[in-house]
Amino acid sequence: LTSSPTTPGLHVVHIAAEMAPVAKVGGLGDVVAGLGKSLQKKGHLVEIVLPKYDCVKYELIRDLRELDTVVESYFDGRLYKNKVWVGTVEGLPVYFIDPLHPDKFFSRGQFYGERDDFKRFSFFSRAALELLFQAGKKPDIIHCHDWQTAFVAPLYWDLYAPKGLNSARICFTCHNFEYQGTAPASELASCGLDVHQLNRPDRMQDYSSHDRVNPVKGAVVFSNIVTTVSPTYAQEVRTAERGHGLHSTLNFHTKKFIGILNGIDTDAWNPATDDFIQVQYSVNDIHGKAENKEALRKMLGLSTADPRKPLVGIITRLVPQKGVHLIRHAIYRTLELGGQFVLLGSSPVPHIQREFEGIANQFQSHDHIRLILKYDEALSHSIYAASDMFVIPSLFEPCGLTQMISMRYGSIPIVRKTGGLYDSVFDVDDDTIPLRFRNGYTFLNPDEQGLNSALDRALNHYNKNRERWQQLVQNVMNMDFSWDSSASQYEELYSKAVARAKSTTNRA
Ligand code: ADP
C-alpha cells in the first residue's frame, strides 16, 4: 500500500456501492464515474473504493492487480482479512475490496437485494475506511453515497478520526431517499458503532421505531456536507409528504444540505462516437438517427413500413417510483395515436415484473409495440439513438438521467414535473420560459389525463410540423448536460468545507 501522491488540487475518495460501467445498477453508478472523471479533469486526485463483486465487468478494468498487503478490518467482535485489488476504470484509480469473510459478501451474482445487505455494506464501509487508514492516505474529502456507504460518516467521526485518519471532511450524497437501509438497532454493533450512543432520535434512530436505526439519517447527521441530486428534489424531501420520514432531520440540518443537478457522462453518451449504435450521428448531421430507427425496428421485428411513424422509448427500472401505471398507459395511448413504443426495463418487484411479462407476451409479435424485460446496456444505447420521444412519468424522481441522455441523442423527453425532471425539462408550449430553454413536454398530475396532455401534444407536433420538430431535436442535442457545471458546484462545496476545517484547526 502506498500513500497518496501530492497534487495541487483536492484529494477526493469516493466510497460507493456502484460505479459505471463496471458495477452499475442505476443512476448512482453513472454519478460516481461521471463526477469522478470531471473532478479529475479539473485537476483533483480522485480515487474510488468499491466492493469486489463477482459480477463486476472485469473486462472493462485496466491493469487490475492484487496488492501485496491485506487489510484487516473489524466486524462482529473480530478481525477479518480483506484482499485489495487496484485497477483503472475510465481513467480513475479504483480499489476493490474482497473480504475474506465466510459469508462471501460480494460473491452473490448480484449487487443488491440480498437478505444480509445491511451486514454486507456496513462491513464494506468499515473495510474501506480501514484501507484508507492503513494506506496512510490523507484525503481532503471522503464522499459516500446512499445508505450502503452511509455508515462511513459515523464510523469516520466516532472511530477513524480519533485514530488519526482525520484529514478529511465527509460529504454524503443521497441519490434517492426512498432507500434508507433501516435495520434493528443491534445490527449496528457489528461494524463497531456504539448502538447506545447512536440509537437516539437526534442521531441514527429511525422515525418508525425506537429499536431501528437508519444509516441515511446517520449520514445526514454526521456528514459535513449533505447533497442530493437536484434542487427541486432537495426542496421536496424537506416536506412531510415527500421526505420519507427524514424531512425534520433534513430541515434541522438544512444549512449543510443542498441539491445539485447531476450531469451525464458526455463521453460515454455521445451519438457521434457511440460504438453500440448502428450509425453514428451528430447535431450537424442527424440523418443517422433515421437509420438507427430503421435498424432497431428490424432488430426488434417492428414494422418498418412507415419510416416517419414516431417511435416512443422508455428505459427504466420498473418500480412504483417510475409511475408503472402511467408507463403501461403510455404504451396503449401511443398505439392509439399511431406511434410505436419500445420499453427496456426490468423489475426487482415480482408482481410488477409479472405484470409487464404479461404485456410483453400480449405484444410479442405486434407490429408496433415491443417490451424487452432485462438490463441491457448495448440495447439502451440503440433505443436512445432510435427513438423520437422518450417518456418518463415518474411519481417522484430525485434527478433522473434518462431525460438528459435522451436529449443528447435527439429524443424529446415527455416527463412529469417532479424533482430533477422539473429542473431539466421545460415545456415547448410554456410561454413563460425563453424559447432556447424549451426542450420537451411536461405534465403535472400523475394520472392518465396528465400524461395524455403531454404525449398527445408531442405526437401531434411531430406529425404536423416536421421542420419545427427537427429544430427542436437540434436544439436539445446542443444543450449542455455535461458534468462540468455540477462538478464545479461540488468542487466549491468541498473547498469551502476544507477551508472551514483549516480555519477551525488554526484557531484551536
Ligand atoms: P434510477 O437511478 O432511479 O434507476 P436514473 O434515470 O437516474 O434512474 O438512471 C437510470 C440509468 O440506468 C440510465 O443510465 C439508464 O439508461 C439505465 N437503465 C435503466 N434501466 C435499464 C435497463 N433495463 N437496461 C439498460 N440500462 C438501463
Side-chain angles (χ1 to χ4, degrees):
L1 290 177
T2 48
S3 48
S4 328
T6 45
T7 64
L10 296 169
H11 180 187
V12 181
V13 178
H14 289 272
I15 301 178
E18 291 183 41
M19 178 189 183
V22 292
K24 170 175 158 180
V25 176
L28 165 63
D30 289 316
V31 172
V32 172
L35 175 61
K37 273 164 64 171
S38 188
L39 287 169
Q40 187 188 53
K41 255 190 227 149
K42 290 176 188 289
H44 304 292
L45 170 64
V46 181
E47 297 178 295
I48 319 275
V49 186
L50 292 179
K52 190 170 179 291
Y53 303 101
D54 55 352
C55 46
V56 161
K57 289 189 177 152
Y58 285 100
E59 69 281 9
L60 301 179
I61 308 174
R62 268 204 308 118
D63 306 328
L64 183 65
R65 65 188 169 90
E66 188 181 338
L67 297 182
D68 298 333
T69 347
V70 292
V71 168
E72 285 197 317
S73 64
Y74 173 94
F75 205 70
D76 277 337
R78 54 163 287 198
L79 292 176
Y80 288 93
K81 289 189 169 50
N82 296 276
K83 285 190 194 174
V84 181
W85 297 67
V86 64
T88 307
V89 177
E90 304 268 294
L92 289 166
V94 183
Y95 292 91
F96 294 92
I97 295 184
D98 180 12
L100 301 181
H101 188 283
D103 289 356
K104 300 197 179 336
F105 287 135
F106 301 112
S107 303
R108 309 286 182 83
Q110 63 174 357
F111 300 107
Y112 313 122
E114 296 287 306
R115 102 203 108 65
D116 57 349
D117 276 358
F118 189 94
K119 223 172 153 184
R120 296 166 74 219
F121 289 102
S122 56
F123 182 103
F124 169 67
S125 296
R126 173 124 197 198
L129 283 170
E130 197 61 48
L131 166 68
L132 302 185
F133 177 61
Q134 290 184 25
K137 289 187 182 285
K138 299 267 173 244
D140 298 298
I141 295 289
I142 297 175
H143 195 149
C144 49
H145 299 263
D146 280 352
W147 79 261
Q148 289 87 354
T149 58
F151 304 95
V152 164
L155 280 169
Y156 179 82
W157 292 114
D158 282 359
L159 300 175
Y160 283 87
K163 270 196 200 186
L165 176 66
N166 55 9
S167 56
R169 301 286 100 177
I170 307 292
C171 179
F172 171 66
T173 297
C174 187
H175 299 254
N176 189 336
F177 281 96
E178 186 176 12
Y179 305 106
Q180 299 178 5
T182 62
S186 57
E187 286 196 28
L188 201 55
S190 297
C191 68
L193 285 171
D194 184 333
V195 179
H196 185 66
Q197 284 298 317
L198 293 172
N199 186 22
R200 295 178 14 178
D202 59 340
R203 296 190 180 161
M204 290 185 77
Q205 188 173 89
D206 192 44
Y207 66 97
S208 68
S209 150
H210 289 324
D211 52 16
R212 286 188 79 77
V213 284
N214 183 326
V216 168
K217 180 168 171 181
V220 171
V221 173
F222 285 94
S223 298
N224 303 93
I225 308 166
V226 179
T227 74
T228 190
V229 290
S230 69
T232 295
Y233 187 60
Q235 287 310 324
E236 290 169 354
V237 292
R238 284 180 169 97
T239 65
E241 309 77 64
R242 294 295 177 85
H244 302 279
L246 285 181
H247 57 286
S248 29
T249 307
L250 291 168
N251 281 313
F252 186 81
H253 293 279
T254 195
K255 273 199 180 146
K256 62 180 176 187
F257 178 49
I258 183 174
I260 299 177
L261 192 69
N262 286 334
I264 55 169
D265 183 336
T266 45
D267 300 327
W269 298 111
N270 183 357
T273 56
D274 192 328
D275 287 331
F276 288 117
I277 64 179
Q278 187 80 13
V279 181
Q280 296 167 348
Y281 62 99
S282 69
V283 65
N284 300 319
D285 179 12
I286 54 172
H287 287 102
K289 200 161 167 56
E291 292 177 56
N292 284 299
K293 186 164 156 181
E294 162 108 10
L296 182 76
R297 282 171 159 168
K298 282 194 175 139
M299 184 172 92
L300 299 179
L302 294 173
S303 160
T304 51
D306 176 5
R308 291 162 62 102
K309 202 178 217 353
L311 180 65
V312 181
I314 182 164
I315 299 170
T316 187
R317 291 181 300 121
L318 290 163
V319 289
Q321 171 203 336
K322 304 290 180 182
V324 276
H325 64 295
L326 295 177
I327 294 174
R328 194 183 50 217
H329 175 72
I331 299 172
Y332 295 99
R333 184 71 184 166
T334 302
L335 191 59
E336 266 170 35
L337 295 170
Q340 289 184 323
F341 198 99
V342 173
L343 175 147
L344 172 63
S346 62
S347 185
V349 186
H351 77 91
I352 300 180
Q353 179 73 16
R354 273 198 304 277
E355 178 190 341
F356 276 79
E357 276 165 6
I359 306 175
N361 287 339
Q362 178 191 346
F363 289 116
Q364 70 182 323
S365 46
H366 196 278
D367 273 350
H368 303 303
I369 312 270
R370 199 64 78 244
L371 278 70
I372 306 103
L373 299 180
K374 61 174 177 179
Y375 184 92
D376 187 333
E377 186 74 25
L379 183 56
S380 78
H381 287 247
S382 304
I383 295 174
Y384 287 118
S387 55
D388 298 298
M389 293 157 218
F390 202 89
V391 210
I392 314 169
S394 304
L395 304 185
F396 72 92
E397 192 59 75
C399 175
L401 297 175
T402 60
Q403 77 279 19
M404 301 188 216
I405 304 171
S406 66
M407 285 192 259
R408 179 112 171 112
Y409 283 75
S411 178
I412 306 301
I414 300 165
V415 310
R416 165 136 197 274
K417 279 176 147 187
T418 179
L421 298 170
Y422 190 98
D423 294 330
S424 55
V425 182
F426 306 101
D427 201 290
V428 163
D429 293 322
D430 185 345
D431 293 337
T432 64
I433 291 167
L435 252 177
R436 67 181 190 285
F437 296 127
R438 297 189 215 166
N439 55 7
Y441 296 85
T442 64
F443 63 98
L444 191 58
N445 293 337
D447 52 31
E448 294 182 0
Q449 288 72 23
L451 176 66
N452 289 354
S453 71
L455 187 62
D456 293 14
R457 280 188 295 123
L459 276 122
N460 197 21
H461 188 164
Y462 176 91
N463 289 326
K464 297 264 163 66
N465 197 334
R466 285 305 161 93
E467 223 166 88
R468 265 187 63 204
W469 188 268
Q470 291 298 355
Q471 271 167 14
L472 179 62
V473 168
Q474 284 174 315
N475 189 20
V476 302
M477 286 182 75
N478 262 330
M479 289 185 165
D480 180 11
F481 290 109
S482 70
W483 265 102
D484 207 45
S485 84
S486 311
S488 299
Q489 293 180 60
Y490 276 101
E491 193 178 29
E492 200 184 323
L493 284 179
Y494 292 166
S495 302
K496 279 189 182 153
V498 169
R500 267 199 307 276
K502 287 207 175 111
S503 72
T504 334
T505 322
N506 291 343
R507 264 188 269 129

